[in-house]
Amino acid sequence: SAAASRGPRRDGAQWTAGYSYAARRFSFAAEHVRRSPGYRDLGTFDLARYDGGRRSTRIVATVNIPRQGSFGIAYLDARSASGNAARLISASYSRAIGRYASLFISGDHDLARGGSSAQLRLVVPFGRNSVGAGVSHNSRGTLAQLDYSRSRPSDGGLEMAVSLASDRQRDLYGQMSAGWRGRRIEVDAGVAVTPGRQAVWGSASGSMVMLDRHIFAAHQVNDAFALVSTGVPGVPVSYENQTFGVTDAAGYLFVSQVSSYHGGRFGIDVLGLPIDQTAETTERRVALRRGTGAVIAMPVRTAQHVTLTLTDEAGVPLEVGGLVRRSGAPDSEVGWDGIVFLQDIGSHS
């Protein structure tokens, strides 16, 4: 493939050649990329001091043997525009142990500098919690490590990571970090300890956004954002099929993490609403530029529904299966004893 970019005082091009093959038990991929110093893409065009790679070669092969695990080997040769070079070769092996644990072994060698390293790790997950232990060795010595982590739920909450390590001199190294994500703020804190030194850090981030003449407190906005408007409170809102929250007392929900240049799916769930509330649309796809926002209206309104008993001139209920047709509304079917349910008669009377 070939690509080109053009900008103020910098033009460039990129050429890529590659091959990949994937089967059930074997996969292989090779890629070579060359680019001129002035080349930029969407991920790097606004980085003033970007030192992109001038060329790179990557070769990866994996073999999966049933009940024995997966073997892999990789080679990387890369050179940046400033002349920095890296040539690495690595090999790895992984397999499941029992129903839950997994074993990982890897080793790599730096062909440019002559250094080597290896590591062995055993990981056992427990739901959102995970415990791991490992041993690594490089030119500076051997290190034994014990890890614990707890992942954060997608809708917010607590996450935590603790890591302890010790070398042959029994020097202790440790790091602990924790984070909490609420609806409007994100807080992170941690501590790191090495022989004779320690460091503590913490941060809190959020944002204030004015949209549709309302002010919203939300997480830090790093890309695009959106304001979902339904007009009624308590309506569940989802973005890309993941529940993001429910609308507030004014019928709004601010979505602070929207991927730019992508037609994202916004939806509302009306199944739990009262029977007299309805929405004309429950899903919209919207693409936004980076740093911009939009109001996405999916209004929920109050509708009138009635249950009628239909009879003929003699007062006998109409037969089951008959249809009641209204202009601009879906047909309604007559049930037992002539009973029919008509939805939203206010707008289709």
Side-chain angles (χ1 to χ4, degrees), residues 72-85:
I73 187 170
Y75 171 76
L76 174 66
D77 184 356
R79 182 178 296 274
S80 68
S82 60
N84 296 323

Side-chain angles (χ1 to χ4, degrees), residues 29 39 65 83 94 129 152 174 222 224 261 279-280 297 347-348:
Y39 177 77
I65 302 176
S94 63
N129 303 284
R152 180 168 51 198
N222 298 314
Y261 307 104
E280 297 294 336
S347 60
H348 303 290

Side-chain angles (χ1 to χ4, degrees), residues 38-341:
Y39 177 77
R40 296 291 188 272
D41 55 21
L42 288 177
T44 60
F45 77 96
D46 58 348
L47 301 180
R49 298 184 178 181
Y50 172 67
D51 183 21
R54 178 168 295 178
R55 63 168 178 81
S56 65
T57 301
R58 179 178 60 90
I59 303 174
V60 180
T62 59
V63 178
N64 185 19
I65 302 176
R67 295 186 296 275
Q68 299 299 321
S70 177
F71 298 85
I73 187 170
Y75 171 76
L76 174 66
D77 184 356
R79 182 178 296 274
S80 68
S82 60
N84 296 323
R87 293 176 60 217
L88 301 173
I89 185 170
S90 65
S92 63
Y93 168 73
S94 63
R95 66 166 298 173
I97 300 178
R99 297 180 57 184
Y100 303 105
S102 58
L103 176 69
F104 178 77
I105 303 173
S106 69
D108 59 75
H109 179 69
D110 190 333
L111 298 175
R113 299 176 177 85
S116 299
S117 64
Q119 67 169 322
L120 181 150
R121 293 189 60 81
L122 177 67
V123 179
V124 183
F126 301 94
R128 295 190 180 277
N129 303 284
S130 177
V131 177
V135 178
S136 61
H137 178 80
N138 55 29
S139 58
R140 292 176 292 181
T142 302
L143 201 67
Q145 187 171 342
L146 180 65
D147 303 312
Y148 165 78
S149 64
R150 172 184 172 84
S151 63
R152 180 168 51 198
S154 59
D155 56 350
L158 177 68
E159 67 175 350
M160 181 181 296
V162 180
S163 179
L164 296 174
S166 178
D167 57 19
R168 287 185 175 181
Q169 289 73 36
R170 297 186 179 180
D171 291 330
L172 187 64
Y173 304 81
Q175 179 173 307
M176 182 180 71
S177 62
W180 180 81
R181 183 182 180 89
R183 290 190 58 185
R184 297 177 177 86
I185 192 172
E186 185 170 346
V187 180
D188 294 284
V191 58
V193 178
T194 60
R197 296 182 181 180
Q198 64 179 15
V200 179
W201 69 90
S203 67
S205 62
S207 62
M208 300 292 292
V209 179
M210 184 174 183
L211 199 61
D212 200 24
R213 294 180 294 181
H214 288 73
I215 297 177
F216 301 91
H219 301 139
Q220 183 175 349
V221 177
N222 298 314
D223 200 346
F225 56 93
L227 179 65
V228 177
S229 173
T230 64
V232 298
V235 180
V237 177
S238 64
Y239 172 64
E240 292 294 71
N241 299 315
Q242 289 192 350
T243 301
F244 204 86
V246 298
T247 54
D248 59 17
Y252 291 109
L253 179 69
F254 185 78
V255 182
S256 59
Q257 296 177 324
V258 177
S259 299
S260 57
Y261 307 104
H262 165 70
R265 177 190 178 276
F266 295 85
I268 59 174
D269 184 3
V270 297
L271 294 179
L273 297 180
I275 193 172
D276 62 343
Q277 290 185 340
T278 185
E280 297 294 336
T281 180
T282 59
E283 177 181 330
R284 289 188 61 186
R285 289 190 175 272
V286 179
L288 300 170
R289 291 184 301 165
R290 184 179 181 183
T292 64
V295 178
I296 301 175
M298 289 182 280
V300 176
R301 59 183 178 82
T302 300
Q304 295 180 343
H305 311 307
V306 296
T307 301
L308 303 176
T309 300
L310 302 181
T311 62
D312 58 17
E313 295 179 353
V316 178
L318 298 184
E319 295 183 358
V320 175
L323 295 178
V324 177
R325 293 180 175 175
R326 295 180 295 158
S327 176
D331 296 343
S332 300
E333 188 172 350
V334 178
W336 296 104
D337 299 324
I339 296 176
V340 62
F341 179 70

